[in-house]
Amino acid sequence: AQKVTQAQTEISVVEKEDVTLDCVYETRDTTYYLFWYKQPPSGELVFLIRRNSFDEQNEISGRYSWNFQKSTSSFNFTITASQVVDSAVYFCALSEARDDKIIFGKGTRLHILP
Amino acid sequence: NAGVTQTPKFRILKIGQSMTLQCTQDMNHNYMYWYRQDPGMGLKLIYYSVGAGITDKGEVPNGYNVSRSTTEDFPLRLELAAPSQTSVYFCASSYLRGPETQYFGPGTRLLVL
């Protein structure tokens, strides 16, 4: 069965600090996809990244980076030099290739303090 | 290109009332989804559709119904509203099946009293 665990319910850091959001997943499939979404205070869901299970290369996009490790079933998200605008709820999600559905974690609420 | 639109943005219902949450996408996506987000929780899939005329249950379908008569529209119906259905409802769409990026609407906040 698919499962996504985001153990950190809420994190607060001071602006300009680096912060890592953890995501651990469970799946029986060898082909699957992982996602991160951002939900700012305005409420909409913003797609950040999608990775497939065959691509373990870490990815960097500006201040955002993602560390995918199949050995530990983790897909962690790091924000470098955090900014107040990064304050949001961040969701990790999983989809198996044979399935039509995406399963979301419970989210991590990130507070960036000025 | 408006993407995914949802109406209404906010609604208060009395227990036992019914209503339809509207969802429309203009991206010609085959796949559409309805999720609910309870406070402090992630999204849970209610129903999804892989094309016009085809729908299927998700994780939490009880108390809801859907239909998909066109590619663009995927309404969600609550027949007998209950306080447990107080939530934020998100509609999403994608061009292909699951692993494809899903694009979300702005959400509908529903309060059942």
Side-chain angles (χ1 to χ4, degrees):
Chain A
Q2 305 174 50
K3 186 178 179 182
V4 176
T5 301
Q6 295 180 254
Q8 304 151 307
T9 305
E10 203 158 344
I11 300 174
S12 294
V13 300
V14 177
E15 197 173 17
K16 297 184 184 176
E17 288 185 351
D18 300 346
V19 58
T20 296
L21 309 182
D22 298 332
C23 173
V24 174
Y25 62 91
E26 294 178 26
T27 176
R28 293 179 188 162
D29 266 15
T30 55
T31 303
Y32 52 90
Y33 298 78
L34 296 163
F35 303 79
W36 275 96
Y37 282 85
K38 174 182 179 180
Q39 186 176 41
S42 51
E44 74 273 21
L45 278 154
V46 179
F47 164 77
L48 295 178
I49 190 172
R50 182 190 76 171
R51 300 304 300 277
N52 72 59
S53 53
F54 298 110
D55 184 2
E56 285 193 73
Q57 262 192 327
N58 290 334
E59 181 152 343
I60 298 175
S61 176
R63 295 184 297 106
Y64 295 171
S65 62
W66 290 269
N67 184 344
F68 177 27
Q69 293 197 339
K70 288 177 76 171
S71 60
T72 55
S73 296
S74 64
F75 186 43
N76 296 338
F77 172 31
T78 296
I79 301 175
T80 303
S82 61
Q83 299 176 1
V84 173
V85 293
D86 296 326
S87 296
V89 180
Y90 290 86
F91 291 98
C92 180
L94 163 73
S95 180
E96 295 169 346
R98 60 185 169 86
D99 207 342
D100 294 309
K101 305 184 288 291
I102 290 180
I103 301 298
F104 284 80
K106 292 184 178 181
T108 297
R109 184 175 297 277
L110 177 63
H111 299 279
I112 307 299
L113 308 172
Chain B
N1 193 340
V4 180
T5 57
Q6 292 181 238
T7 57
K9 288 185 180 179
F10 176 66
R11 182 78 181 268
I12 299 175
L13 280 183
K14 293 182 179 178
I15 294 173
Q17 285 186 321
S18 62
M19 78 163 292
T20 299
L21 282 67
Q22 301 291 345
C23 175
T24 300
Q25 53 91 9
D26 62 0
M27 297 174 282
N28 202 31
H29 284 173
N30 294 317
Y31 289 74
M32 295 187 74
Y33 312 80
W34 273 106
Y35 294 89
R36 59 177 287 173
Q37 183 183 24
D38 298 328
M41 303 292 288
L43 281 74
K44 292 189 176 180
L45 183 65
I46 305 171
Y47 270 96
Y48 67 102
S49 169
V50 303
I54 308 171
T55 63
D56 207 349
K57 295 178 181 178
E59 206 178 340
V60 289
N62 292 342
Y64 306 95
N65 280 303
V66 293
S67 60
R68 183 97 180 269
S69 56
T70 67
T71 300
E72 295 78 21
D73 301 306
F74 190 40
L76 177 72
R77 181 141 182 97
L78 284 71
E79 292 293 349
L80 290 170
S84 61
Q85 293 178 306
T86 293
S87 189
V88 179
Y89 292 84
F90 287 98
C91 179
S93 73
S94 62
Y95 183 61
L96 295 174
R97 63 185 301 184
E100 283 297 308
T101 302
Q102 292 185 11
Y103 295 91
F104 285 81
T108 293
R109 187 175 296 275
L110 177 66
L111 181 60
V112 182
L113 300 174

